[in-house]
Coordinates of all heavy atoms in Angstrom, one line a residue:
Chain B
L8 N -46.8 41.5 -24.4 CA -47.1 41.9 -23.0 C -48.2 42.9 -22.9 O -49.0 43.0 -21.9 CB -45.9 42.3 -22.2 CG -46.0 42.4 -20.7 CD1 -44.7 41.9 -20.0 CD2 -46.3 43.8 -20.2
L9 N -48.3 43.8 -23.9 CA -49.3 44.9 -23.8 C -50.7 44.4 -24.0 O -51.6 45.2 -23.9 CB -48.9 46.0 -24.8 CG -47.6 46.7 -24.5 CD1 -47.3 47.7 -25.6 CD2 -47.8 47.5 -23.1
K10 N -50.8 43.1 -24.3 CA -52.2 42.6 -24.4 C -52.8 42.5 -23.0 O -54.0 42.4 -22.9 CB -52.2 41.1 -25.0 CG -51.8 41.2 -26.5 CD -52.3 39.9 -27.2 CE -51.8 39.9 -28.7 NZ -50.4 39.5 -28.8
Q11 N -51.9 42.4 -22.0 CA -52.5 42.4 -20.6 C -52.9 43.8 -20.3 O -52.5 44.8 -20.9 CB -51.4 42.0 -19.7 CG -50.8 40.6 -19.9 CD -49.7 40.3 -19.0 OE1 -49.7 40.6 -17.8 NE2 -48.6 39.7 -19.5
D12 N -53.7 43.9 -19.2 CA -54.2 45.2 -18.7 C -53.1 45.8 -17.8 O -53.3 45.9 -16.6 CB -55.5 44.9 -17.9 CG -56.0 46.2 -17.4 OD1 -55.7 47.3 -18.0 OD2 -56.8 46.1 -16.4
I13 N -52.0 46.2 -18.4 CA -50.9 46.7 -17.7 C -50.4 48.0 -18.3 O -50.3 48.1 -19.5 CB -49.7 45.7 -17.6 CG1 -50.0 44.7 -16.5 CG2 -48.4 46.4 -17.4 CD1 -49.0 43.6 -16.4
I14 N -50.1 49.0 -17.4 CA -49.4 50.2 -17.9 C -48.0 50.2 -17.5 O -47.7 50.3 -16.3 CB -50.2 51.5 -17.4 CG1 -51.6 51.5 -17.9 CG2 -49.4 52.7 -17.8 CD1 -52.4 52.7 -17.5
Y15 N -47.1 50.0 -18.4 CA -45.7 49.8 -18.1 C -44.9 51.1 -18.3 O -44.7 51.5 -19.4 CB -45.1 48.7 -19.0 CG -43.7 48.3 -18.6 CD1 -43.5 47.5 -17.5 CD2 -42.6 48.7 -19.3 CE1 -42.2 47.2 -17.1 CE2 -41.3 48.4 -18.9 CZ -41.1 47.7 -17.8 OH -39.9 47.4 -17.4
L16 N -44.5 51.6 -17.1 CA -43.8 52.9 -17.2 C -42.4 52.8 -16.5 O -42.0 53.7 -15.8 CB -44.6 54.0 -16.5 CG -46.0 54.2 -17.1 CD1 -46.8 55.2 -16.2 CD2 -45.9 54.8 -18.5
D17 N -41.8 51.6 -16.6 CA -40.5 51.4 -16.0 C -39.5 51.0 -17.1 O -38.7 50.1 -16.9 CB -40.6 50.3 -14.9 CG -39.4 50.2 -14.1 OD1 -38.6 51.2 -14.0 OD2 -39.2 49.2 -13.4
N18 N -39.5 51.7 -18.2 CA -38.6 51.3 -19.3 C -37.1 51.6 -19.0 O -36.3 51.1 -19.7 CB -39.1 52.1 -20.5 CG -40.4 51.6 -21.0 OD1 -40.6 50.5 -21.5 ND2 -41.5 52.4 -20.7
G19 N -36.9 52.5 -18.0 CA -35.5 52.7 -17.6 C -34.9 51.5 -17.0 O -33.7 51.3 -17.1
A20 N -35.7 50.7 -16.4 CA -35.2 49.4 -15.8 C -35.0 48.4 -16.9 O -33.9 47.8 -17.0 CB -36.2 48.9 -14.7
T21 N -36.0 48.2 -17.7 CA -35.9 47.3 -18.8 C -37.1 47.6 -19.7 O -38.1 48.0 -19.3 CB -35.8 45.8 -18.4 OG1 -35.3 45.1 -19.6 CG2 -37.2 45.2 -18.1
S22 N -36.9 47.4 -21.0 CA -38.0 47.6 -22.0 C -38.7 46.3 -22.2 O -38.3 45.2 -21.8 CB -37.4 48.1 -23.3 OG -36.8 47.0 -24.0
L23 N -39.9 46.5 -22.8 CA -40.6 45.3 -23.2 C -40.0 44.7 -24.5 O -39.2 45.4 -25.1 CB -42.1 45.7 -23.5 CG -42.8 46.3 -22.3 CD1 -44.3 46.6 -22.7 CD2 -42.8 45.4 -21.1
K24 N -40.3 43.5 -24.8 CA -39.7 42.8 -26.0 C -40.8 42.6 -27.1 O -41.9 42.0 -26.8 CB -39.2 41.4 -25.6 CG -38.5 41.3 -24.2 CD -37.3 42.3 -24.0 CE -36.9 42.3 -22.6 NZ -36.2 43.5 -22.2
P25 N -40.5 43.0 -28.3 CA -41.4 42.8 -29.3 C -41.5 41.3 -29.8 O -40.5 40.6 -29.5 CB -40.9 43.7 -30.5 CG -39.5 43.9 -30.2 CD -39.3 43.8 -28.7
K26 N -42.5 40.9 -30.4 CA -42.7 39.5 -30.8 C -41.6 39.1 -31.7 O -41.1 37.9 -31.6 CB -44.1 39.4 -31.5 CG -44.4 37.9 -31.8 CD -45.9 37.7 -32.0 CE -46.2 36.3 -32.3 NZ -45.5 35.6 -33.4
C27 N -41.1 39.9 -32.6 CA -40.1 39.5 -33.5 C -38.8 39.1 -32.8 O -38.1 38.1 -33.2 CB -39.8 40.6 -34.6 SG -39.2 42.2 -33.9
V28 N -38.5 39.7 -31.7 CA -37.3 39.4 -30.9 C -37.5 38.0 -30.3 O -36.6 37.2 -30.3 CB -36.9 40.5 -29.9 CG1 -35.9 40.0 -28.9 CG2 -36.5 41.8 -30.6
I29 N -38.7 37.9 -29.6 CA -39.0 36.6 -29.0 C -38.9 35.5 -30.0 O -38.3 34.4 -29.7 CB -40.3 36.7 -28.3 CG1 -40.3 37.9 -27.2 CG2 -40.7 35.4 -27.6 CD1 -41.7 38.3 -26.7
D30 N -39.6 35.7 -31.1 CA -39.6 34.7 -32.1 C -38.2 34.3 -32.6 O -37.9 33.1 -32.9 CB -40.5 35.1 -33.3 CG -41.9 35.1 -33.0 OD1 -42.3 34.6 -32.0 OD2 -42.7 35.7 -33.8
K31 N -37.4 35.3 -32.8 CA -36.1 35.1 -33.3 C -35.2 34.2 -32.4 O -34.5 33.3 -32.8 CB -35.4 36.5 -33.5 CG -34.0 36.4 -34.2 CD -34.1 36.3 -35.7 CE -32.7 36.1 -36.3 NZ -32.8 35.9 -37.8
M32 N -35.4 34.4 -31.1 CA -34.7 33.6 -30.1 C -35.2 32.2 -30.0 O -34.5 31.3 -29.9 CB -34.7 34.3 -28.7 CG -33.9 35.6 -28.8 SD -34.1 36.5 -27.2 CE -33.2 35.5 -26.1
N33 N -36.6 32.1 -30.1 CA -37.2 30.8 -30.1 C -36.7 30.0 -31.3 O -36.5 28.8 -31.2 CB -38.7 30.9 -30.1 CG -39.2 31.3 -28.7 OD1 -38.5 31.1 -27.7 ND2 -40.4 31.8 -28.6
D34 N -36.6 30.7 -32.4 CA -36.2 30.0 -33.6 C -34.8 29.4 -33.4 O -34.5 28.3 -33.8 CB -36.2 31.0 -34.8 CG -35.8 30.4 -36.1 OD1 -36.2 29.3 -36.3 OD2 -35.1 31.1 -36.9
Y35 N -33.9 30.2 -32.8 CA -32.6 29.6 -32.5 C -32.7 28.4 -31.6 O -32.1 27.3 -32.0 CB -31.7 30.7 -31.9 CG -30.4 30.0 -31.2 CD1 -29.4 29.5 -32.0 CD2 -30.4 29.9 -29.8 CE1 -28.3 28.9 -31.4 CE2 -29.3 29.3 -29.2 CZ -28.2 28.8 -30.0 OH -27.2 28.2 -29.5
Y36 N -33.4 28.5 -30.5 CA -33.5 27.4 -29.6 C -34.2 26.2 -30.2 O -33.8 25.0 -30.0 CB -34.2 27.8 -28.3 CG -33.3 28.5 -27.4 CD1 -33.7 29.8 -26.9 CD2 -32.1 28.0 -26.9 CE1 -32.9 30.5 -26.0 CE2 -31.3 28.7 -26.1 CZ -31.7 29.9 -25.6 OH -30.9 30.6 -24.7
A37 N -35.2 26.4 -31.1 CA -36.0 25.3 -31.6 C -35.3 24.7 -32.8 O -35.4 23.5 -33.0 CB -37.4 25.8 -32.0
N38 N -34.6 25.5 -33.6 CA -34.3 25.0 -35.0 C -32.8 25.0 -35.3 O -32.4 24.3 -36.2 CB -35.0 25.9 -36.0 CG -36.5 25.7 -35.9 OD1 -37.0 24.6 -35.7 ND2 -37.2 26.8 -36.0
Y39 N -31.9 25.7 -34.6 CA -30.5 25.6 -34.9 C -29.6 25.9 -33.7 O -28.6 26.6 -33.8 CB -30.1 26.5 -36.1 CG -30.3 28.0 -35.9 CD1 -29.3 28.8 -35.6 CD2 -31.6 28.5 -36.1 CE1 -29.5 30.2 -35.5 CE2 -31.8 29.9 -35.9 CZ -30.7 30.7 -35.6 OH -30.9 32.0 -35.5
S40 N -30.0 25.3 -32.5 CA -29.3 25.6 -31.3 C -27.9 24.9 -31.1 O -27.7 24.2 -30.2 CB -30.1 25.3 -30.1 OG -30.4 24.0 -30.0
A41 N -27.0 25.1 -32.1 CA -25.7 24.6 -32.0 C -24.8 25.7 -31.4 O -25.2 26.8 -31.2 CB -25.2 24.2 -33.4
N42 N -23.5 25.3 -31.2 CA -22.6 26.3 -30.6 C -22.1 27.2 -31.8 O -22.2 26.9 -32.9 CB -21.4 25.6 -29.9 CG -20.9 26.5 -28.8 OD1 -20.9 27.7 -28.9 ND2 -20.5 25.9 -27.7
A43 N -21.5 28.4 -31.3 CA -20.9 29.3 -32.3 C -19.4 29.0 -32.5 O -18.8 28.4 -31.6 CB -21.2 30.7 -31.9
H44 N -18.9 29.5 -33.5 CA -17.4 29.5 -33.8 C -16.9 28.0 -33.8 O -15.7 27.8 -33.6 CB -16.6 30.2 -32.7 CG -17.1 31.6 -32.5 ND1 -17.1 32.5 -33.5 CD2 -17.6 32.2 -31.4 CE1 -17.6 33.7 -33.0 NE2 -17.9 33.5 -31.7
R45 N -17.7 27.1 -34.0 CA -17.2 25.7 -34.0 C -17.7 25.0 -35.3 O -17.8 23.8 -35.3 CB -17.8 24.9 -32.8 CG -17.8 25.6 -31.5 CD -16.5 25.5 -30.7 NE -16.2 26.7 -30.0 CZ -16.5 27.0 -28.7 NH1 -17.2 26.1 -28.0 NH2 -16.2 28.1 -28.2
G46 N -18.0 25.8 -36.3 CA -18.8 25.3 -37.4 C -18.3 24.3 -38.3 O -17.8 24.6 -39.4
D47 N -18.4 23.0 -37.9 CA -18.0 22.0 -38.9 C -19.2 21.4 -39.6 O -19.1 20.4 -40.4 CB -17.3 20.8 -38.1 CG -16.0 21.3 -37.5 OD1 -15.4 22.2 -38.1 OD2 -15.6 20.8 -36.5
Y48 N -20.3 21.9 -39.3 CA -21.6 21.4 -39.9 C -22.5 22.6 -40.2 O -22.4 23.6 -39.6 CB -22.2 20.3 -39.1 CG -22.3 20.6 -37.6 CD1 -23.4 21.2 -37.1 CD2 -21.2 20.3 -36.7 CE1 -23.5 21.5 -35.7 CE2 -21.3 20.7 -35.4 CZ -22.4 21.3 -34.9 OH -22.5 21.6 -33.6
D49 N -23.6 22.3 -40.9 CA -24.4 23.4 -41.4 C -25.1 24.2 -40.3 O -25.1 25.4 -40.3 CB -25.5 22.8 -42.3 CG -25.0 22.4 -43.7 OD1 -23.8 22.7 -43.9 OD2 -25.7 21.8 -44.5
L50 N -25.6 23.4 -39.3 CA -26.3 24.1 -38.2 C -25.4 25.1 -37.5 O -25.8 26.3 -37.3 CB -26.7 23.1 -37.1 CG -28.1 22.4 -37.3 CD1 -28.4 21.6 -36.0 CD2 -29.2 23.4 -37.6
S51 N -24.2 24.7 -37.2 CA -23.3 25.6 -36.5 C -22.9 26.7 -37.4 O -22.6 27.8 -37.0 CB -22.1 24.8 -36.1 OG -21.1 25.6 -35.5
F52 N -22.8 26.4 -38.7 CA -22.4 27.5 -39.6 C -23.5 28.6 -39.6 O -23.2 29.8 -39.6 CB -22.3 26.9 -41.1 CG -21.9 28.0 -42.1 CD1 -20.7 28.6 -42.0 CD2 -22.8 28.3 -43.1 CE1 -20.3 29.6 -42.9 CE2 -22.4 29.3 -44.0 CZ -21.2 29.9 -43.9
K53 N -24.8 28.2 -39.5 CA -25.9 29.1 -39.5 C -25.8 30.0 -38.2 O -26.0 31.2 -38.2 CB -27.2 28.4 -39.5 CG -28.4 29.4 -39.4 CD -29.7 28.8 -40.0 CE -30.9 29.6 -39.6 NZ -31.1 30.9 -40.1
V54 N -25.4 29.3 -37.1 CA -25.2 30.1 -35.8 C -24.2 31.2 -36.0 O -24.4 32.3 -35.7 CB -24.8 29.1 -34.7 CG1 -24.5 29.9 -33.4 CG2 -25.9 28.1 -34.4
D55 N -23.0 30.8 -36.6 CA -22.0 31.7 -36.8 C -22.5 32.9 -37.6 O -22.2 34.1 -37.3 CB -20.8 31.1 -37.6 CG -19.9 30.4 -36.6 OD1 -20.2 30.4 -35.4 OD2 -18.9 29.8 -37.1
Q56 N -23.2 32.6 -38.7 CA -23.7 33.6 -39.6 C -24.6 34.6 -38.8 O -24.4 35.8 -38.9 CB -24.5 33.0 -40.7 CG -23.6 32.6 -41.9 CD -24.5 32.2 -43.0 OE1 -25.5 31.5 -42.8 NE2 -24.1 32.6 -44.2
E57 N -25.6 34.1 -38.1 CA -26.5 34.9 -37.4 C -25.8 35.8 -36.3 O -26.0 37.0 -36.1 CB -27.6 34.1 -36.7 CG -28.6 33.5 -37.7 CD -29.6 34.4 -38.2 OE1 -29.7 35.6 -37.7 OE2 -30.3 34.1 -39.2
Y58 N -24.9 35.1 -35.6 CA -24.1 35.8 -34.5 C -23.3 36.9 -35.1 O -23.3 38.0 -34.6 CB -23.2 34.7 -33.9 CG -22.5 35.1 -32.6 CD1 -23.1 35.0 -31.4 CD2 -21.2 35.7 -32.6 CE1 -22.5 35.4 -30.2 CE2 -20.6 36.1 -31.5 CZ -21.2 35.9 -30.3 OH -20.5 36.3 -29.1
E59 N -22.6 36.6 -36.2 CA -21.7 37.7 -36.7 C -22.5 38.7 -37.5 O -22.1 39.9 -37.6 CB -20.7 37.0 -37.7 CG -19.6 36.2 -36.9 CD -18.9 37.0 -35.8 OE1 -18.6 38.2 -36.0 OE2 -18.7 36.4 -34.7
Q60 N -23.7 38.4 -37.9 CA -24.6 39.4 -38.5 C -25.0 40.4 -37.5 O -25.1 41.6 -37.8 CB -25.8 38.7 -39.1 CG -26.4 39.5 -40.3 CD -27.4 38.6 -41.0 OE1 -28.1 37.8 -40.4 NE2 -27.4 38.7 -42.3
T61 N -25.2 40.0 -36.2 CA -25.5 41.0 -35.2 C -24.4 41.9 -35.0 O -24.6 43.1 -34.8 CB -25.9 40.2 -33.9 OG1 -27.0 39.4 -34.1 CG2 -26.1 41.3 -32.8
R62 N -23.2 41.4 -35.1 CA -22.0 42.3 -35.0 C -22.0 43.4 -36.1 O -21.8 44.6 -35.8 CB -20.7 41.5 -35.0 CG -19.6 42.2 -34.2 CD -18.3 41.4 -34.3 NE -18.2 40.1 -33.9 CZ -18.1 39.6 -32.7 NH1 -18.0 40.5 -31.7 NH2 -18.1 38.4 -32.4
E63 N -22.4 43.0 -37.3 CA -22.5 43.9 -38.4 C -23.6 45.0 -38.0 O -23.4 46.2 -38.2 CB -23.0 43.2 -39.7 CG -22.0 42.3 -40.3 CD -21.1 42.9 -41.3 OE1 -21.3 44.2 -41.5 OE2 -20.3 42.2 -41.9
L64 N -24.7 44.5 -37.5 CA -25.8 45.3 -37.2 C -25.4 46.4 -36.2 O -25.8 47.5 -36.2 CB -27.0 44.5 -36.8 CG -27.8 43.8 -37.9 CD1 -28.7 42.7 -37.3 CD2 -28.7 44.8 -38.6
V65 N -24.7 45.9 -35.1 CA -24.3 46.8 -34.0 C -23.3 47.8 -34.6 O -23.4 49.0 -34.3 CB -23.7 46.0 -32.9 CG1 -23.0 47.0 -31.9 CG2 -24.7 45.1 -32.2
K66 N -22.4 47.4 -35.4 CA -21.4 48.3 -36.0 C -22.1 49.4 -36.7 O -21.8 50.6 -36.5 CB -20.5 47.5 -36.9 CG -19.6 48.4 -37.7 CD -18.7 47.5 -38.7 CE -18.1 48.4 -39.8 NZ -19.0 48.7 -40.9
E67 N -23.1 49.1 -37.6 CA -23.8 50.1 -38.3 C -24.6 50.9 -37.4 O -24.7 52.2 -37.6 CB -24.8 49.4 -39.3 CG -24.1 48.4 -40.3 CD -23.7 49.1 -41.5 OE1 -24.5 49.8 -42.2 OE2 -22.5 49.0 -41.9
F68 N -25.2 50.3 -36.4 CA -26.2 51.0 -35.5 C -25.5 52.1 -34.8 O -26.0 53.2 -34.6 CB -26.7 49.9 -34.5 CG -27.8 50.3 -33.6 CD1 -29.0 50.7 -34.1 CD2 -27.6 50.3 -32.2 CE1 -30.0 51.1 -33.3 CE2 -28.6 50.7 -31.4 CZ -29.8 51.1 -31.9
I69 N -24.2 51.9 -34.3 CA -23.5 52.9 -33.6 C -22.4 53.6 -34.4 O -21.7 54.4 -33.9 CB -22.9 52.4 -32.2 CG1 -21.9 51.3 -32.5 CG2 -24.0 51.9 -31.3 CD1 -21.1 50.9 -31.3
N70 N -22.4 53.2 -35.7 CA -21.4 53.7 -36.6 C -20.0 53.6 -36.2 O -19.2 54.5 -36.2 CB -21.7 55.2 -36.9 CG -21.0 55.7 -38.2 OD1 -20.7 54.9 -39.1 ND2 -20.6 56.9 -38.2
A71 N -19.6 52.3 -35.8 CA -18.2 52.0 -35.5 C -17.5 51.9 -36.8 O -18.1 51.7 -37.8 CB -18.1 50.8 -34.6
K72 N -16.1 51.9 -36.7 CA -15.4 51.9 -37.9 C -15.2 50.5 -38.4 O -15.1 50.2 -39.6 CB -14.0 52.5 -37.7 CG -14.1 54.1 -37.5 CD -12.8 54.7 -37.9 CE -12.9 56.2 -37.8 NZ -12.9 56.7 -36.4
C73 N -15.0 49.5 -37.5 CA -14.8 48.1 -38.0 C -15.4 47.1 -37.0 O -15.7 47.5 -35.8 CB -13.3 47.9 -38.2 SG -12.3 48.2 -36.7
L74 N -15.5 45.9 -37.4 CA -16.2 44.9 -36.6 C -15.4 44.5 -35.4 O -15.9 44.1 -34.4 CB -16.4 43.6 -37.5 CG -17.4 43.8 -38.6 CD1 -17.3 42.6 -39.5 CD2 -18.8 43.9 -38.0
E75 N -14.0 44.7 -35.5 CA -13.2 44.4 -34.3 C -13.5 45.2 -33.1 O -13.1 44.9 -32.0 CB -11.7 44.6 -34.6 CG -11.1 43.6 -35.6 CD -11.1 44.0 -37.0 OE1 -12.1 44.7 -37.4 OE2 -10.1 43.8 -37.7
E76 N -14.2 46.3 -33.3 CA -14.5 47.3 -32.2 C -15.8 46.9 -31.4 O -16.1 47.5 -30.5 CB -14.7 48.7 -32.8 CG -13.4 49.2 -33.5 CD -13.5 50.6 -34.0 OE1 -14.6 51.0 -34.4 OE2 -12.5 51.3 -33.9
I77 N -16.4 45.8 -31.9 CA -17.7 45.4 -31.3 C -17.5 44.1 -30.5 O -17.3 43.1 -31.1 CB -18.8 45.2 -32.3 CG1 -18.9 46.4 -33.3 CG2 -20.1 44.9 -31.7 CD1 -19.3 47.7 -32.6
V78 N -17.6 44.2 -29.2 CA -17.5 43.0 -28.4 C -18.8 42.7 -27.7 O -19.4 43.6 -27.1 CB -16.4 43.2 -27.3 CG1 -16.2 42.0 -26.4 CG2 -15.0 43.6 -27.9
F79 N -19.2 41.4 -27.7 CA -20.5 41.1 -27.0 C -20.1 40.7 -25.5 O -19.2 40.0 -25.3 CB -21.2 39.9 -27.7 CG -21.7 40.3 -29.0 CD1 -21.3 39.7 -30.2 CD2 -22.6 41.3 -29.1 CE1 -21.8 40.0 -31.4 CE2 -23.1 41.7 -30.4 CZ -22.7 41.1 -31.5

Side-chain angles (χ1 to χ4, degrees):
Chain B
L8 192 142
L9 290 175
K10 293 203 184 77
Q11 298 174 43
D12 179 24
I13 277 178
I14 297 182
Y15 186 75
L16 301 173
D17 191 18
N18 294 287
T21 196
S22 72
L23 303 180
K24 322 301 173 204
K26 184 160 185 305
C27 60
V28 168
I29 301 167
D30 288 348
K31 185 83 185 174
M32 293 173 71
N33 283 341
D34 182 39
Y35 163 73
Y36 281 126
N38 298 317
Y39 60 102
S40 63
N42 211 324
H44 308 300
R45 318 270 144 94
D47 297 329
Y48 45 92
D49 287 353
L50 272 191
S51 173
F52 181 67
K53 176 157 166 70
V54 174
D55 277 1
Q56 270 188 321
E57 291 282 351
Y58 188 89
E59 290 306 321
Q60 208 164 35
T61 298
R62 208 185 301 278
E63 292 268 2
L64 283 161
V65 172
K66 170 184 164 277
E67 303 270 306
F68 188 64
I69 61 171
N70 195 30
K72 291 208 176 70
C73 56
L74 292 167
E75 288 97 319
E76 298 183 325
I77 309 299
V78 179
F79 293 119

